[in-house]
Amino acid sequence: MTLLDDTIAAIRPLDAAAVAAARTRQDSLTKPRGALGALEDVSVQLAGLAGVCPPPLPTPAAVVVFAGDHGVHAQGVTPWPQEVTAQMVANFLAGGAVINALAAQAEAEVLVVDVGVAADLDAVAGLLVHKVAPGTRDMTGEPAMSRAEAQAAIEVGIVVARDLVAAGTRCLLTGDMGIANTTPAAALIAAFTGAAPAEVTGRGTGVDDATLARKIDVVMRALALHRPEPGDPLGALAAVGGLEHAALAGYVLGAAAARVPVVLDGVIADAAALVARALAPDSTAAMIAGHRSAEPGASVALAALGLAPLVDLDLRLGEGSGAVLALPIVQGAVRVLRDVATFDSAGVTEK
């Protein structure tokens, strides 16, 4: 048995008794039934995930930025040079990126994992080096990864999630960095949902019309070459995915196995979540959609996953920004279920 096999075997659906208890408690709190909408759903989900009502408060929290480079960059799918991936990793570690500012506001730890950056990075505090390969290969001419590389990257994510939970982290948030990574994300979403490449390929960092058309063509060519099958999720991931997509899929699986919630960021995490669900359908029990990315593929992926985003701010940054913004909502949902008085305990008359 591999680490991946063991992790998948540990993943279970929501606990039905805890779900029922949470629903009953929500209906007894001093508010109209259903008045808190999605917050009630989140609290019930987290009770079912933990197997107890009320569930533990999802704190402390950590956002992990998985970083990798992409061979498909050579196809001109972005105007940003590839070396920006390593430069942004340095910016995260120096505390100067958007995710650092938002994570400080939400009191979440930020870690960066080098799972596939093309450059060699110096070991510094906050950086975990688990480099599977120095970037992927160009998926328009060959598989982006071997199956072994894809599995190794998945297992990096599992290990990171496992270690964080063992250290006491109670909510995991996804982050990513990789110049050109919205192109393989679109390919993964098309492969796992059956959507047309034009429907799921967006402007990423804000590319012009000509570059968008090139991106769509690249996704179409990669899918035509490899014909990835959703029934073979590891093979599909290896063919058209990225190392950070693979690691994120493992991170989601690791969270689900540990019965800890994982808040998804944008389109990169959504694509990875499709892979995770294909590998372990019950892993959706741990998933919370932090926000709806402006990238069109995100909405397609979330619909396929059956997830409703908590925040919709037209974000398309990545880094974990949307997930961190949603964190107080997730925590607030649990606080309500745990701390609000019931009609009986407060002596309030029901209607």
Side-chain angles (χ1 to χ4, degrees):
M1 293 280 284
T2 66
L3 176 59
L4 176 57
D5 293 332
D6 289 343
T7 303
I8 291 172
I11 294 172
R12 308 184 308 279
L14 296 177
D15 182 86
V19 165
R23 282 287 179 208
T24 298
R25 179 168 174 79
Q26 275 288 356
D27 289 345
S28 72
L29 300 181
T30 48
K31 60 176 179 55
R33 289 187 181 185
L36 291 180
L39 264 70
E40 298 188 16
D41 296 334
V42 169
S43 71
V44 170
Q45 177 186 349
L46 296 194
L49 183 64
V52 63
C53 175
L57 192 65
T59 185
V63 55
V64 179
V65 181
F66 291 94
D69 279 306
H70 300 270
V72 76
H73 182 276
Q75 296 297 317
V77 294
T78 174
W80 293 84
Q82 194 169 67
E83 54 264 29
V84 170
T85 300
Q87 293 167 354
M88 280 304 298
V89 166
N91 192 23
F92 300 144
L93 296 170
V98 170
I99 189 57
N100 301 108
L102 295 178
Q105 172 68 26
E107 298 183 346
E109 179 184 13
V110 177
L111 294 172
V112 182
V113 177
D114 173 10
V115 69
V117 178
D120 290 328
L121 304 177
D122 295 330
V124 297
L127 174 66
L128 303 176
V129 178
H130 294 290
K131 198 191 300 284
V132 173
T136 58
R137 292 172 282 280
D138 183 353
M139 65 181 180
T140 63
E142 59 184 316
M145 297 173 277
S146 68
R147 292 178 73 93
E149 288 170 336
Q151 181 165 334
I154 289 173
E155 292 183 346
V156 166
I158 292 172
V159 168
V160 171
R162 181 194 67 194
D163 290 351
L164 281 170
V165 173
T169 304
R170 291 296 171 261
C171 189
L172 304 182
L173 286 70
T174 71
D176 68 90
M177 182 62 219
I179 295 301
N181 66 3
T182 59
T183 300
L188 286 171
I189 293 168
F192 281 95
T193 68
E199 184 183 355
V200 297
T201 307
R203 295 183 183 273
T205 51
V207 301
D208 59 19
D209 290 346
T211 306
L212 176 60
R214 189 178 306 118
K215 282 182 70 173
I216 295 170
D217 178 66
V218 163
V219 173
M220 291 176 63
R221 287 193 283 128
L223 294 174
L225 174 64
H226 302 294
R227 301 192 179 279
E229 289 290 335
D232 177 18
L234 186 62
L237 173 64
V240 299
L243 290 157
E244 72 269 43
H245 301 88
L248 282 164
Y251 186 67
V252 170
L253 293 173
R259 311 298 288 179
V260 167
V262 57
V263 184
L264 305 178
D265 188 40
V267 70
I268 309 304
D270 298 337
L274 289 171
V275 177
R277 186 188 65 168
L279 288 165
D282 287 331
S283 63
T284 55
M287 299 180 196
I288 296 172
H291 81 118
R292 185 188 306 280
S293 168
E295 282 289 290
S299 291
V300 173
L302 291 177
L305 291 164
L307 300 178
L310 296 179
V311 174
D312 190 346
L313 298 174
D314 205 32
L315 305 178
R316 53 178 176 83
L317 174 63
E319 300 183 8
S321 52
V324 172
L325 286 168
L327 177 60
I329 298 174
V330 177
Q331 294 169 334
V334 174
R335 286 190 182 276
V336 166
L337 185 64
R338 186 189 69 175
D339 297 344
V340 173
T342 64
F343 283 101
D344 284 346
S345 69
V348 176
T349 303
E350 296 190 60
K351 68 174 182 179

